[in-house]
């Protein structure tokens, strides 16, 4: 019977990474290494004001006093931070002077990724900020959105054009002292997206950022900041891919969200960084700090993530539920295959009265991978009648992978109700055979079962992305069952 | 001839379960295979549908002129072989509709036909549901999840109706059914009986054969078909019990010693 299992596992782990190509484009690169000089150069390159340079340097100095966290259930090879290039930017050709003109090679790259940057070719109702390596290449539909007072631009533009907003909110949810990777990001972040929804405005389209790593030996450090004023609403999407390389590459990002009274922010991620090959060679180290602050009463922040890529994932999108009646949600599907490792989950910090949170985490492990859920539910004394419901399910494909659950509960208010449910299941040979006997081959059967298992989370994604995510799940597990 | 089995020997973990089975099935026929527990009935069913836990060590299985052993389990299904499972497995999260639509469309793809549109598929489902008097809400649930024993068995026959096989093997479809469910399941099977398909009914009891009248009855004992006859063989068996067969055979065995 084990023979059979091995064969099936072998099949499912054989899937290919579709986005592994590299665009040969003239790129401006900084020399390798990290020091104050590099940071000053980076800041100068981006024509940043002095306060920003100072922020970076403070973060850098703090980072130097810190150690890499080792509490996650991950084996992280030592990273030589002096061996990384901290700035890589596709060079603008002089003949594309206008802001609206983008180098055709870049357009082609994003076309190949399924992200057309010409507005007329876009999915109706999705505005995109396209980031390649260290810079934003183009942001679409800016004018349309501006008519409603919505600011959607690259982080660099925001620093130039909306310094007061950036100054006020940057680092207010994730301070540079927060953790090792947050400090590193604060020192060297190069671009990202900025989004501001004014009072009472429902953003009429999905906003999205597409992150692409292209250059070799570089790290990508982007920062996203979303501010939703009273009674506003926005749905935000994030996608990411990278070329296939034998070397590991570092991606350390920060996302901060602030939701004011009665505001709602939905943040969805389809993370598909290059996971490394079948032997575990190469792939992205994805060390990301994402946190939202439900600042106003009745505010709501939802994180939905479909994590299929990266060699190592360290990521805990969290909510600080400060407002009374505020709501935090975390819906996650994390797939690990071959030698991938993921330690992911969330933190729900209840401060406001009657604050509520929901955590639905679906881990899928295949191959020789390790997949951990790590989540903290913390109810402070002030959080009268706080409610949390957590459900953490693990699905195993084969018997050489691991699934782990690390829930932490800290409850300081006796009126709080916190529920936790966890299950572990295995795709059984009998289930697959039942499908086979109805004429459904093994790959398709696994797709059916995995998508059925993850449906609760996939349903939370915007329509077009749910379909993409379903396909992605199937491809990620191609070749892997037991 | 639809199915021709010659001297089939099947082992499980190096233990021989089937010790030389010969069986021929023509279109339009219903064969009943009876036998005491452990005689190898389910092993035969599993070997026919290609579950590779069961190793075929010897013999031939010819299905419509093809060597069945060379086909994968899913291709055997697409070639028209259906197994009604003794213990249908639950697949949480996968809706019956999605599961069956995938199955039907895989079958159509194999035959070079276009996939059925959602509307046409639902219509087909409604039509076939009547055959086994299945509750509508069963089909909106996950595959077999939380189904009672009777519902699971009805669901097997419902799938048989939908997939329209040339050879259906029903493995102890009567086990765990009360008399009403048994009648419904049997009626369903009878409605699906046609001159161009065949059914192998595997059962421990004669009870089911009062409703599904077989053309042939075979008694399987210790891995061999020891007696074949018409429907009256089942009646006789019911009257005397399996001890009758056992005694007869054991006497023969003693004589030959």
């Amino acid at each position: 019977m084990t023979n059979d299992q091995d064969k099936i596992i072998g099949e499912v782990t054989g899937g290919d990474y579709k986005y592994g190509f590299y665009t040969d484009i003239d790129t401006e690169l900084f020399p390798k290494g990290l020091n104050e000089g590099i940071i000053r150069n980076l800041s100068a390159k981006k024509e940043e004001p002095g306060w920003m340079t100072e922020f970076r340097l403070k973060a850098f100095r703090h980072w130097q006093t810190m150690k890499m966290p080792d509490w996650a259930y991950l084996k992280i090879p030592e990273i030589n931070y002096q061996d990384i290039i901290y700035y890589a930017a596709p060079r603008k050709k002089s003949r594309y002077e206008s802001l609206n003109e983008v180098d055709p090679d870049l357009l082609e790259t994003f076309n190949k990724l399924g992200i057309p940057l010409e507005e007329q070719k876009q999915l109706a109702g999705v505005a995109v900020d396209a980031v390649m390596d260290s810079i934003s290449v183009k942001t679409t539909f800016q004018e349309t959105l501006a008519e409603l007072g919505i600011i959607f631009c690259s982080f660099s533009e925001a620093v130039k054009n909306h310094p007061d907003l950036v100054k006020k909110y940057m680092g207010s949810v994730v301070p540079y002292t927060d953790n090792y990777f947050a400090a590193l990001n604060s020192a060297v972040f190069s671009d990202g997206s900025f989004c501001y929804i004014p009072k009472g405005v429902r953003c009429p389209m999905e906003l999205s950022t597409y992150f692409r790593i292209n250059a070799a030996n570089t790290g990508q450090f982007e920062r996203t900041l979303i501010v939703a004023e009273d009674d506003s609403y926005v749905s935000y999407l994030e996608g990411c891919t990278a070329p296939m390389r034998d070397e590991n590459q570092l991606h350390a990002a920060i996302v901060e969200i602030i939701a004011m009274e009665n505001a709602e922010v939905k943040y969805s991620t389809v993370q598909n960084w290059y996971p490394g090959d079948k032997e575990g060679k190469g792939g992205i180290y994805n060390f990301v700090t994402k946190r939202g602050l439900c600042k106003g009463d009745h505010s709501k922040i939802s994180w939905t993530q479909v994590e299929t890529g990266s060699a190592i994932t360290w990521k805990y999108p969290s909510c600080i539920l400060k407002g009374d009646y505020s709501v935090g949600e975390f819906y996650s599907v994390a797939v690990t295959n071959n030698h991938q490792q993921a330690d992911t989950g969330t933190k729900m910090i209840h401060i406001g009265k009657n604050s509520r949170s929901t955590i639905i985490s679906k881990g899928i492990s295949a191959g020789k991978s390790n997949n951990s859920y790590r989540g903290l539910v913390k109810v402070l004394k002030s959080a009268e009648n706080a409610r949390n419901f957590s459900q953490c399910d693990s699905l195993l494909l084969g018997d050489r992978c691991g699934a782990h659950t690390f829930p932490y509960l800290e409850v300081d208010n006796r009126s709080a109700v916190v529920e936790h449910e966890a299950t572990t299941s295995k795709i059984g040979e009998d289930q697959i055979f039942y499908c086979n006997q109805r004429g459904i081959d093994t790959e398709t059967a696994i797709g059916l079962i995995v998508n059925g298992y993850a449906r609760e989370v996939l349903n939370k994604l915007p329509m077009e992305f749910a379909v993409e995510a379903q396909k992605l799940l199937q491809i990620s597990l191609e070749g892997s069952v037991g | 001839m639809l199915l021709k089995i010659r001297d089939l020997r099947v082992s499980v973990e190096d233990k021989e379960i089937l010790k030389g089975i010969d069986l021929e099935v023509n279109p339009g026929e219903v064969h009943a295979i009876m036998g005491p527990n452990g005689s190898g009935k389910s092993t035969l069913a599993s070997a026919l549908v290609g579950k590779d836990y069961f190793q075929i060590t010897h013999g031939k299985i010819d299905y419509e002129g093809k060597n069945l052993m060379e086909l994968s389990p899913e291709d055997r299904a697409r070639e028209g072989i259906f197994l009604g499972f003794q213990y249908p497995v639950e697949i949480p999260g996968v809706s019956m509709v999605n599961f069956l639509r995938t199955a039907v469309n895989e079958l159509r793809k194999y035959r070079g036909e276009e996939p059925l549109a959602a509307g046409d598929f639902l219509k087909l489902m409604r039509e076939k549901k009547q055959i086994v008097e299945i509750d509508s809400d069963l089909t909106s649930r996950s595959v077999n999840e939380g189904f009672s024993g009777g519902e699971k068995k009805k669901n097997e026959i419902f799938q048989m109706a939908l997939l329209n096989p040339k050879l259906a093997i029903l493995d102890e479809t009567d086990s765990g059914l009360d008399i009403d469910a048994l009648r419904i399941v049997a009626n369903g099977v009878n409605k699906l009986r046609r001159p161009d398909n065949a059914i192998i009914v595997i059962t421990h009891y004669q009870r089911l054969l009062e409703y599904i009248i077989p053309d042939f009855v075979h008694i399987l004992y210790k891995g061999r078909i020891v007696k074949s006859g018409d429907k009256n063989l089942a009646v006789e068996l019911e009257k005397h019990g399996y001890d009758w067969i056992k005694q007869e055979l054991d006497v023969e065995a003693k004589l030959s010693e």
Side-chain angles (χ1 to χ4, degrees):
Chain A
M1 228 186 313
T2 42
N3 252 348
D4 191 28
Q5 217 167 55
D6 288 351
K7 191 181 79 198
I8 305 174
I9 291 166
E11 279 165 16
V12 179
T13 41
D16 287 334
Y17 185 70
K18 265 201 321 194
Y19 308 98
F21 66 90
Y22 162 73
T23 310
D24 187 9
I25 195 161
D26 188 14
T27 302
E28 179 180 5
L29 296 168
F30 272 24
K32 279 182 182 174
L34 184 57
N35 51 51
E36 291 203 3
I38 288 276
I39 292 170
R40 283 182 200 282
N41 284 344
L42 175 68
S43 194
K45 184 94 221 157
K46 304 184 81 66
E47 298 165 11
E48 287 176 351
W51 58 269
M52 186 55 98
T53 317
E54 272 316 300
F55 176 84
R56 290 177 180 281
L57 290 170
K58 264 197 288 188
F60 177 64
R61 286 168 200 145
H62 188 76
W63 178 72
Q64 286 176 305
T65 68
M66 299 174 94
K67 278 207 170 71
M68 216 164 107
D70 57 3
W71 41 262
Y73 194 81
L74 299 169
K75 281 186 202 131
I76 307 175
E78 203 175 326
I79 298 169
N80 182 355
Y81 291 91
Q82 297 304 332
D83 199 33
I84 293 173
I85 294 170
Y86 289 85
Y87 183 82
R91 218 185 290 269
K92 258 209 166 96
K93 293 178 188 164
S94 54
R95 54 202 161 98
Y96 303 107
E97 272 306 309
S98 141
L99 264 179
N100 289 321
E101 277 181 73
V102 180
D103 183 333
D105 286 344
L106 283 175
L107 285 182
E108 182 50 33
T109 300
F110 282 93
N111 267 332
K112 262 166 97 171
L113 296 169
I115 314 290
L117 297 178
E118 297 99 325
E119 290 183 4
Q120 63 276 17
K121 285 193 196 161
Q122 290 225 330
L123 280 171
V126 184
V128 182
D129 181 21
V131 176
M132 173 111 125
D133 295 328
S134 302
I135 61 162
S136 166
V137 174
K138 174 154 175 94
T139 311
T140 62
F141 291 109
Q142 274 181 309
E143 293 79 8
T144 320
L145 293 165
E147 283 166 24
L148 294 164
I150 295 169
I151 304 167
F152 179 46
C153 62
S154 71
F155 206 92
S156 312
E157 272 176 73
V159 171
K160 282 197 186 98
N161 302 333
H162 311 281
D164 294 346
L165 286 172
V166 174
K167 244 182 180 164
K168 186 170 172 192
Y169 292 109
M170 184 184 66
S172 69
V173 188
V174 182
Y176 66 80
T177 51
D178 192 80
N179 68 70
Y180 189 79
F181 300 112
L184 177 65
N185 174 289
S186 299
V188 301
F189 75 91
S190 46
D191 219 331
S193 304
F194 174 75
C195 164
Y196 177 84
I197 316 290
K199 195 173 168 178
V201 172
R202 269 189 82 85
C203 184
M205 52 177 81
E206 311 272 352
L207 302 188
S208 74
T209 309
Y210 193 92
F211 296 105
R212 173 73 178 169
I213 292 178
N214 188 54
N217 305 315
T218 57
Q220 191 180 54
F221 306 92
E222 86 276 354
R223 227 182 147 103
T224 298
L225 176 58
I226 300 172
V227 180
E229 292 285 9
D230 295 355
D231 303 304
S232 67
Y233 166 86
V234 64
S235 169
Y236 202 92
L237 309 159
E238 174 198 84
C240 15
T241 57
M244 289 157 83
R245 288 206 175 90
D246 286 348
E247 301 78 38
N248 297 105
Q249 279 181 280
L250 178 62
H251 171 257
I254 289 179
V255 176
E256 292 177 283
I257 301 175
I258 296 110
M260 302 300 189
E261 203 173 309
N262 223 8
E264 180 178 352
V265 179
K266 279 179 73 170
Y267 195 104
S268 313
T269 305
V270 177
Q271 187 265 104
N272 189 21
W273 294 117
Y274 177 53
D277 70 6
K278 271 192 267 183
E279 273 69 52
K281 204 165 186 201
I284 303 292
Y285 294 159
N286 189 35
F287 304 148
V288 173
T289 307
K290 292 182 169 180
R291 195 173 300 152
L293 172 62
C294 283
K295 198 169 184 185
D297 294 349
H298 298 280
S299 57
K300 179 176 175 182
I301 293 176
S302 288
W303 299 101
T304 304
Q305 59 173 20
V306 176
E307 303 277 315
T308 60
S310 298
I312 306 177
T313 297
W314 179 100
K315 179 180 168 188
Y316 315 90
S318 304
C319 297
I320 301 170
L321 302 167
K322 191 163 177 236
D324 292 346
Y325 296 94
S326 60
V327 177
E329 293 175 336
F330 174 75
Y331 300 101
S332 169
V333 177
V335 179
T336 53
N337 197 355
N338 299 317
H339 291 266
Q340 279 177 278
Q341 308 176 61
D343 192 302
T344 183
T346 184
K347 286 193 272 187
M348 293 290 174
I349 316 289
H350 291 259
I351 302 171
K353 293 183 187 68
N354 297 299
S355 51
R356 282 181 293 133
S357 62
T358 305
I359 298 171
I360 309 280
S361 162
K362 304 266 183 180
I364 301 168
S365 332
K368 297 175 184 163
S369 67
N370 264 305
N371 199 330
S372 304
Y373 166 81
R374 187 182 301 279
L376 167 69
V377 176
K378 185 172 183 155
V379 179
L380 275 70
K381 234 186 179 116
S382 54
E384 275 304 300
N385 293 316
R387 294 280 179 278
N388 163 265
F389 174 75
S390 303
Q391 184 187 327
C392 305
D393 298 330
S394 307
L395 185 68
L396 297 165
L397 286 80
D399 48 17
R400 287 179 296 173
C401 51
H404 318 272
T405 306
F406 305 99
Y408 305 85
L409 294 176
E410 294 172 22
V411 181
D412 284 331
N413 186 308
R414 294 180 64 181
S415 65
V417 179
V418 176
E419 290 173 80
H420 181 89
E421 287 177 11
T423 66
T424 301
S425 50
K426 221 176 143 175
I427 293 192
E429 258 175 78
D430 286 352
Q431 290 174 323
I432 305 232
F433 188 75
Y434 191 80
C435 295
N436 290 159
Q437 213 303 304
R438 298 301 184 248
I440 301 168
D441 63 42
T442 300
E443 298 273 296
T444 311
I446 289 160
L448 269 178
I449 295 169
V450 165
N451 278 308
Y453 167 79
R455 192 172 48 185
E456 226 178 320
V457 173
L458 297 179
N459 282 349
K460 299 286 172 188
L461 288 173
M463 192 51 189
E464 318 82 66
F465 290 81
V467 175
E468 274 306 300
Q470 270 193 23
K471 283 190 213 147
L472 190 58
L473 282 189
Q474 193 152 349
I475 291 167
S476 302
L477 290 167
E478 222 157 72
S480 87
V481 183
Chain B
M1 187 154 306
L2 187 63
L3 180 73
K4 191 171 169 182
I5 302 174
R6 277 281 163 267
D7 198 20
L8 182 69
R9 291 162 191 261
V10 177
S11 293
V12 172
E13 286 165 355
D14 294 330
K15 186 171 184 284
E16 190 164 72
I17 309 288
L18 296 183
K19 298 169 178 167
I21 299 281
D22 293 289
L23 183 68
E24 292 182 4
V25 178
N26 290 299
E29 294 176 351
V30 173
H31 290 245
I33 294 176
M34 302 182 72
N37 289 331
S39 58
K41 300 188 300 286
S42 288
T43 299
L44 177 61
S46 299
L48 286 174
V49 294
K51 190 148 196 197
D52 53 2
Y53 176 55
F54 300 86
Q55 291 128 26
I56 295 176
T57 54
H58 183 83
K60 272 171 89 172
I61 309 173
D62 186 283
Y63 173 77
E64 288 195 309
K66 290 185 255 313
N67 179 359
L68 197 64
M69 274 125 75
E70 286 177 354
L71 296 179
S72 67
E74 57 269 27
D75 279 347
R76 294 183 201 201
R78 293 161 184 165
E79 287 285 349
I81 297 181
F82 176 90
L83 174 65
F85 285 82
Q86 183 178 2
Y87 303 109
V89 63
E90 300 191 359
I91 312 180
V94 179
S95 72
M96 279 301 300
V97 174
N98 202 3
F99 174 73
L100 290 174
R101 196 173 163 212
T102 307
V104 166
N105 284 335
E106 288 289 320
L107 193 68
R108 294 178 68 92
K109 192 162 87 189
Y110 189 73
R111 295 187 190 137
E113 296 166 5
E114 289 294 304
L116 267 190
D120 293 336
F121 177 74
L122 291 174
K123 213 175 114 194
L124 183 70
M125 258 182 66
R126 266 200 301 277
E127 192 185 298
K128 302 295 183 188
K129 264 195 272 198
Q130 291 163 1
I131 289 177
V132 280
E133 303 172 31
I134 210 164
D135 290 338
S136 324
D137 84 308
L138 283 193
T139 55
S140 60
R141 279 151 58 180
S142 292
V143 178
N144 293 319
E145 195 184 31
F147 287 27
S148 69
E151 285 168 341
K152 281 184 184 169
K153 296 301 174 74
K154 275 193 204 173
N155 190 24
E156 294 293 291
I157 305 305
F158 166 58
Q159 293 178 49
M160 173 181 163
L162 203 64
L163 296 168
N164 197 15
K166 286 184 219 161
L167 175 65
I169 304 154
L170 306 179
D171 189 7
E172 308 231 3
T173 299
D174 51 338
S175 67
L177 292 186
D178 63 31
I179 194 71
D180 291 326
L182 182 76
R183 214 184 42 233
I184 291 170
V185 163
N187 282 343
V189 174
N190 285 330
K191 283 181 206 161
L192 298 171
R193 250 174 120 154
R194 286 198 320 263
D196 61 343
N197 66 18
I199 300 170
I200 298 175
V201 180
I202 292 172
T203 181
H204 189 82
Y205 302 104
Q206 189 253 347
R207 192 175 68 151
L208 178 67
L209 305 180
E210 286 170 18
Y211 297 96
I212 303 171
I213 311 291
D215 301 299
F216 301 94
V217 174
H218 311 278
I219 296 171
L220 193 62
Y221 182 61
K222 289 187 176 170
R224 290 192 180 89
I225 290 177
V226 292
K227 224 175 178 54
S228 293
D230 62 11
K231 62 181 179 185
N232 293 317
L233 179 58
V235 179
E236 216 169 320
L237 189 66
E238 182 75 8
K239 216 185 290 172
H240 306 290
Y242 283 111
D243 283 346
W244 162 60
I245 294 286
K246 288 179 193 170
Q247 272 166 17
E248 199 169 289
L249 284 166
D250 292 342
V251 169
E252 268 176 41
K254 274 204 183 109
L255 286 176
S256 67
E257 262 171 24

